[in-house]
Amino acid sequence: MNRISKLMVSLLVGLGLFFTASKTALADGNYQITNYDATANIREDGKIDLTQRITYEFDGDFNGVYYDQNLAKVTDVSDLGVSITQNGQTTQLAESSTGENNTFTQTKTADNLKLKVYHKVSDDKLTVNYHYVLSGLITNYQDTAELNWKILGAGWDVRLHNVKVTLQLPKPVADMQAWTHGPLTGYTDVERAQGKVTLTLAELDTDEMLETHMLFPTSVTPNNPQVSNEKAKEKIRQAEAKLADEANQKRKAEEKRAQVIKRIFSGIVFALSLGFIGILVINPGNKKTKLPPLKHSYEIPKYAPEVAFAVLNQTLPDNQAFSAHLLDLAGQGKLEIVEASGKKNYVIKLKDKALLEDGLLHFLFKNVGNGTEFDLKTLKQVKNKRSRAKALSQKFDKWAKQVKNQADAYNYIDKKTRAWCITVMLGACVNLGILLLAGVIFSGMIRWICLGLGLVIILLSAKYLLTHSGYTPTGEREIYELRCFKAMLKDVGRFDLREVGDIVLWEQIMPYAVAFGLAKKVIKALKAEFSVAELENGFGIYYALYFAGSWNDSFTSSFEQSIAAANVDSSASGSSGGFSGGSSGGGGGGTGGAF
């Protein structure tokens, strides 16, 4: 029986813990305390009638909040009441041990009063109002009455924002002093004519406390039962003067440290900016060659279409450039492209076996085709087998790099000037970012200097980039010619195409139009300018590729799909003034949080 009794007790305790845990489930989310506003009315009997209004902003689901009132030096707590304000409506809460919604519990020990408020809240603001009367914190000495009270203690779950505490005496007091201990950024406002002291603080961190120490005549609290026959006024003043002096010394040290950091930081900022401006004034690198505005050029470029693409764009050639490459080879008689039976299908036939030395063409003819030819239908089927698609993609990447190397071999790039252009762009961004940061941190003359330096850097950087080129003088001329040729293709249809030359010339131009993505525009203009008979006669067997079929769209579509299949990978997912540091040993001190 003994063992069974123990087992039953264990089960009951376990069940109790389970149900308690379910009622006070952990919160799911984050929250912050956006406002703490307290009013402490000091009564003639020496008691403090305290009302605290704590505003929470919840992001997630919460079951309630709690508040711990430290009872050090507090002899009694009475007239307890708790209410909540949400969406402009205030609800008085009943005390209950059930943990039901809109109730609260209190757990009191010799050292602490724990208040737990049960109120479910999700993604909303909530103000919890605590009201009670504290006894024992005010002592009437022979020469003065003293309130030494730690209003807020360290140990909050989150930081408090917008802290305000108002201490109101029952009548105006000419001889009143108040000191506050806590963060040195706070402020104490003593209004003797109103008998009021106001403590304000932007933030109170979780490891900081807020304490008030006040002296006023005993006539303010004549009915205070807590009295002492000692004199304490001068002793308290001396102790607070020492704390105030220490706080002021600390403030001065912090201000001095801040000034040193400010000077060092601003010096670094100005040195960087002036150094960068100096580079821009020196104007390193070769300046652009002055060239006339773009004009129409009808001269066939000296490069193959795919190389022309890489030279003009300074990038790797794409699928369209490869399509133009095949058309160019067909124009040279090294390939033959014919329309096959079947919708949008073409056969590419090998005429010059020397082309098989090219890795990409070798793969297309030998691995995709039968060794002497391949068609687009077979090419599109490459995507169905990952290994073949990957091999094709690798061959194409290698071909594209070889073409880019051919373009780079002309040495049109001025590497030093291009490096300077990149340096200027990055330097301008970095310097402007630092100046912006300095302008936000500092004020006055430093902010205006930062603004002036920023404008100078913007203007000089823009001037540098407009007057310098990443090309050599020869490269600039060649790029200019290519741009003029492309401008002619862009403007096709706005001039008489017959003036350019016969259709044979246009047959040579077409692969470049394909590479530059302007084929459709050129074809439309040629159709409008020349008759079908003229086009058939001029383009011969390739008339069908450009005018009667859809070679470029069909080829690029088939090629892109096959290559794309290789790249599909699985993804994983005293008086008015500042606070003093230290503590005067005040009693009380509240902390809290949410659950």
Side-chain angles (χ1 to χ4, degrees):
M1 280 297 289
N2 215 10
R3 291 176 63 185
I4 294 174
S5 298
K6 288 181 179 180
L7 180 60
M8 291 296 292
V9 170
S10 299
L11 286 171
L12 288 171
V13 170
L15 287 170
L17 290 172
F18 173 81
F19 283 111
T20 303
S22 66
K23 282 191 175 183
T24 59
L26 292 176
D28 181 18
N30 299 307
Y31 76 97
Q32 58 178 329
I33 297 176
T34 58
N35 192 274
Y36 175 89
D37 191 338
T39 301
N41 291 309
I42 298 171
R43 304 191 329 197
E44 291 186 352
D45 59 2
K47 295 181 180 181
I48 300 173
D49 193 323
L50 175 64
T51 301
Q52 299 177 97
R53 294 165 290 276
I54 308 174
T55 301
Y56 301 82
E57 188 171 310
F58 296 100
D59 180 13
D61 300 327
F62 287 79
N63 300 298
V65 299
Y66 66 89
Y67 183 82
D68 289 345
Q69 173 64 60
N70 190 293
L71 299 181
K73 298 185 180 180
V74 176
T75 58
D76 188 36
V77 181
S78 59
D79 299 337
L80 175 62
V82 180
S83 65
I84 59 170
T85 303
Q86 189 173 12
N87 300 321
Q89 185 175 355
T90 300
T91 304
Q92 195 71 33
L93 305 187
E95 184 177 357
S96 173
S97 60
T98 63
E100 296 296 325
N101 200 46
N102 287 342
T103 64
F104 76 93
T105 61
Q106 63 166 313
T107 306
K108 187 177 179 183
T109 64
D111 301 320
N112 185 69
L113 170 65
K114 186 180 184 69
L115 301 173
K116 200 166 189 178
V117 177
Y118 294 87
H119 177 76
K120 292 185 182 297
V121 59
S122 299
D123 302 324
D124 202 356
K125 285 186 176 182
L126 174 70
T127 299
V128 182
N129 312 296
Y130 300 99
H131 172 266
Y132 43 86
V133 176
L134 298 173
S135 303
L137 290 171
I138 296 176
T139 301
N140 281 18
Y141 292 96
Q142 280 194 359
D143 53 353
T144 188
E146 177 197 32
L147 168 62
N148 196 3
W149 178 26
K150 186 184 291 182
I151 303 167
L152 295 171
W156 287 80
D157 286 351
V158 297
R159 182 180 300 172
L160 275 67
H161 299 269
N162 302 312
V163 176
K164 180 182 178 183
V165 179
T166 303
L167 299 115
Q168 182 65 59
L169 299 181
K171 60 182 179 180
V173 181
D175 183 17
M176 175 174 64
Q177 289 179 285
W179 301 270
T180 308
H181 305 284
L184 299 183
T185 53
Y187 189 77
T188 304
D189 187 18
V190 178
E191 300 175 82
R192 295 182 176 87
Q194 284 77 38
K196 183 169 70 174
V197 175
T198 305
L199 317 178
T200 53
L201 183 64
E203 290 182 348
L204 183 73
D205 217 337
T206 55
D207 59 348
E208 296 174 326
M209 63 88 185
L210 179 64
E211 182 181 71
T212 185
H213 198 183
M214 294 175 60
L215 295 181
F216 44 83
T218 55
S219 59
V220 174
T221 52
N223 303 322
N224 183 13
Q226 189 157 309
V227 295
S228 172
N229 293 325
E230 297 179 3
K231 290 185 177 182
K233 192 173 186 177
E234 193 57 36
K235 182 180 178 181
I236 292 170
R237 283 177 171 174
Q238 289 178 1
E240 287 295 342
K242 183 180 179 182
L243 288 172
D245 183 61
E246 289 174 355
N248 289 331
Q249 291 297 326
K250 189 175 180 180
R251 281 193 187 91
K252 289 178 181 177
E254 289 180 354
E255 288 174 3
K256 187 176 180 180
R257 193 181 304 114
Q259 286 295 326
V260 171
I261 294 172
K262 180 179 178 180
R263 290 192 183 99
I264 292 172
F265 181 69
S266 56
I268 292 171
V269 170
F270 296 155
L272 286 172
S273 298
L274 292 173
F276 184 66
I277 290 172
I279 291 173
L280 295 174
V281 171
I282 293 170
N283 223 14
N286 294 322
K287 288 188 176 182
K288 283 183 180 179
T289 304
K290 287 187 178 180
L291 296 168
L294 292 179
K295 59 184 180 181
H296 290 171
S297 173
Y298 310 105
E299 186 176 345
I300 303 296
K302 65 182 181 181
Y303 326 96
E306 69 278 7
V307 179
F309 177 93
V311 169
L312 184 60
N313 298 292
Q314 286 302 304
T315 57
L316 295 171
D318 58 11
N319 298 336
Q320 283 201 152
F322 183 60
S323 174
H325 174 53
L326 294 180
L327 290 170
D328 185 48
L329 292 176
Q332 298 175 40
K334 296 179 179 181
L335 291 178
E336 184 181 355
I337 303 172
V338 295
E339 192 167 11
S341 59
K343 190 177 181 181
K344 297 181 180 179
N345 189 25
Y346 293 86
V347 178
I348 299 91
K349 298 181 179 181
L350 180 65
K351 295 296 182 182
D352 185 351
K353 291 185 178 181
L355 294 180
L356 295 177
E357 294 177 8
D358 179 279
L360 178 56
L361 291 174
H362 185 279
F363 183 87
L364 289 171
F365 282 108
K366 293 291 186 180
N367 295 77
V368 177
N370 59 13
T372 59
E373 64 180 43
F374 70 93
D375 62 20
L376 300 190
K377 186 177 180 180
T378 309
L379 176 61
K380 189 179 289 188
Q381 291 173 355
V382 171
K383 68 180 181 181
N384 298 326
K385 192 170 182 180
R386 178 76 181 277
S387 59
R388 295 184 75 205
K390 193 170 184 179
L392 176 61
S393 178
Q394 290 172 346
K395 297 291 183 183
F396 177 73
D397 289 343
K398 187 176 180 180
W399 173 83
K401 289 174 183 176
Q402 288 172 346
V403 173
K404 182 65 167 61
N405 290 336
Q406 289 178 48
D408 293 342
Y410 288 102
N411 294 320
Y412 291 159
I413 303 299
D414 184 342
K415 294 181 180 179
K416 287 186 178 180
T417 304
R418 175 154 289 196
W420 274 115
C421 288
I422 294 171
T423 301
V424 167
M425 286 190 288
L426 293 176
C429 291
V430 171
N431 275 272
L432 290 173
I434 294 174
L435 288 170
L436 178 62
L437 177 63
V440 171
I441 294 173
F442 302 131
S443 59
M445 183 60 69
I446 293 180
R447 180 174 292 177
W448 287 108
I449 293 173
C450 289
L451 177 62
L453 288 172
L455 290 173
V456 171
I457 286 173
I458 290 172
L459 293 173
L460 289 179
S461 298
K463 181 183 177 183
Y464 184 93
L465 294 172
L466 288 171
T467 56
H468 289 72
S469 169
Y471 298 107
T472 62
T474 303
E476 278 192 16
R477 191 73 202 179
E478 292 293 336
I479 296 296
Y480 171 77
E481 293 296 336
L482 275 176
R483 287 174 179 163
C484 288
F485 180 74
K486 187 176 179 180
M488 179 273 295
L489 294 177
K490 279 186 175 181
D491 292 340
V492 71
R494 298 181 183 178
F495 55 87
D496 187 355
L497 273 65
R498 294 179 185 273
E499 292 181 3
V500 177
D502 55 27
I503 295 179
V504 176
L505 178 62
W506 282 105
E507 184 186 357
Q508 298 174 46
I509 290 175
M510 279 307 301
Y512 293 92
V514 171
F516 296 152
L518 297 169
K520 289 183 179 179
K521 192 172 186 179
V522 174
I523 289 169
K524 183 179 178 181
L526 287 170
K527 281 183 175 181
E529 191 75 26
F530 298 96
S531 67
V532 173
E534 288 175 308
L535 293 172
E536 285 180 337
N537 185 54
F539 280 84
I541 62 171
Y542 295 113
Y543 170 81
L545 290 179
Y546 295 115
F547 301 97
S550 55
W551 153 261
N552 191 49
D553 289 342
S554 299
F555 176 79
T556 54
S557 175
S558 301
F559 202 69
E560 282 176 3
Q561 289 181 39
S562 297
I563 290 178
N567 300 318
V568 178
D569 293 317
S570 299
S571 61
S573 353
S575 58
S576 300
F579 292 4
S580 297
S583 171
S584 55
T591 60
F595 60 92

